[in-house]
Amino acid sequence: MGAWGVGIFSNDAADDVREDFRDLMAAGFTADEATTRLREEHGVERLGVDANDFWLALAATQHKVGHVGEHVLERAMDIIDDPVEMERWAAKDRRRRAAALAKLKSTLESPPSPAKRLRPRTKVETRLELGQHVVVPLPGGERSVLLRVTGVTEDRGGRYPHVVVVEWNGQERQLHKAHRLPATLDPTRMRDDEAWGFTLIGEPSDPSDLRVLSVVTDRRTPTRQWESGTVVKWSELGGQVDAASTAESS
């Protein structure tokens, strides 16, 4: 499901639906037109039970912004009441998922918000490019982290760099060979040899205090078989690093 939690929007599909619907409404589509287009773009008819994420997210979004398509809320209510929805979840997550669904049901049973005028979102942007190495100061100014850009993705929301954390001892002289340093293993990795990575979202652009190094990856740069890709804002990167450090030391 591409999920990182039990919330209605704690998965890739739902998060995309929310933003895509708002974009279409801002572009002048009606709720029904936007619903039809999103069903086609997301391939809903082929998803089977995993289409639940689409309908729940669409209903929650439409209710909140006051632009409700025909039968969308009813479809979501049917999903909430269907035991099949809970069967998608591991036993340890079902209680919290049930609470999230109950909260959404209560919301959908109330009248939708008055129709809001939606404006096009500000696109995020990055100046980073594949292969670059970047030194990022962390909050407090006493520490920095070294990142390697392993890809850049572009969608309706803008451009986002994918990065991995690089093993660096914090010394300036080591940065001259940053492209020879291995990626750090993810402290919570799901698979062996998984690099610790992030997809970073601009606010709306990269921080101004990034330092892009002159060295770039080449055929001799160490690689790992896998890399994680938690989606975080640049401003949240320090918290992610601190949380991982705490987990490792405990």
Side-chain angles (χ1 to χ4, degrees):
M1 290 187 291
W4 56 86
V6 299
I8 301 303
F9 292 101
S10 297
N11 62 81
D12 295 328
D15 196 47
D16 288 345
V17 168
R18 173 171 54 188
E19 297 304 324
D20 290 349
F21 180 78
R22 294 179 67 94
D23 286 344
L24 291 173
M25 296 304 299
F29 286 75
T30 67
D32 286 332
E33 290 170 344
T35 297
T36 298
R37 179 159 175 169
L38 291 177
R39 288 180 66 170
E40 295 172 353
E41 291 182 353
H42 288 258
V44 170
E45 314 311 327
R46 301 189 301 272
L47 292 177
V49 70
D50 284 338
N52 288 6
D53 293 322
F54 174 92
W55 290 111
L56 294 173
L58 185 60
T61 301
Q62 292 189 354
H63 187 277
K64 183 174 182 178
V65 301
H67 296 276
V68 178
E70 187 176 8
H71 304 312
V72 172
L73 302 192
E74 293 87 343
R75 184 75 173 261
M77 295 291 275
D78 289 343
I79 290 170
I80 292 171
D81 293 335
D82 189 342
V84 171
E85 165 58 20
M86 297 305 301
E87 294 173 3
R88 299 194 304 146
W89 297 84
K92 64 182 179 65
D93 295 326
R94 288 177 182 172
R95 182 179 60 81
R96 292 184 300 128
R97 178 62 173 180
L101 292 174
K103 183 178 180 180
L104 176 60
K105 182 175 183 178
S106 177
T107 297
L108 298 183
E109 288 175 338
S110 65
S113 299
K116 298 178 181 178
R117 181 181 179 185
L118 301 179
R119 300 182 182 278
R121 57 176 156 166
T122 301
K123 287 193 173 184
V124 301
E125 188 52 80
T126 181
R127 66 180 185 274
L128 301 181
E129 300 293 344
L130 173 66
Q132 291 180 326
H133 292 79
V134 188
V135 176
V136 185
L138 298 179
E142 298 179 357
R143 299 176 303 142
S144 296
V145 64
L146 176 61
L147 305 177
R148 176 177 296 139
V149 182
T150 58
V152 178
T153 295
E154 185 169 0
D155 62 19
R156 286 187 181 131
R159 298 178 71 247
Y160 316 87
H162 302 279
V163 303
V164 293
V165 180
V166 177
E167 291 185 8
W168 175 45
N169 62 13
Q171 296 182 2
E172 188 71 20
R173 63 183 181 180
Q174 199 178 36
L175 294 178
H176 297 294
K177 294 186 177 180
H179 55 316
R180 297 288 177 261
L181 300 177
T184 302
L185 284 174
D186 192 323
T188 60
R189 61 186 182 274
M190 301 293 290
R191 298 171 288 195
D192 290 338
D193 198 41
E194 183 175 39
W196 188 15
F198 301 95
T199 297
L200 293 167
I201 300 177
E203 301 171 293
S205 58
D206 305 330
S208 59
D209 56 356
L210 299 183
R211 179 155 61 107
V212 180
L213 305 181
S214 59
V215 293
V216 296
T217 56
D218 58 27
R219 61 182 178 82
R220 292 187 294 164
T221 299
T223 60
R224 295 196 182 278
Q225 186 174 4
W226 315 100
E227 64 180 63
S228 55
T230 306
V231 179
V232 299
K233 297 178 181 178
W234 278 102
S235 59
E236 299 170 348
L237 181 60
Q240 294 284 329
V241 172
D242 288 339
S245 300
T246 300
E248 281 188 302
S249 59
S250 62

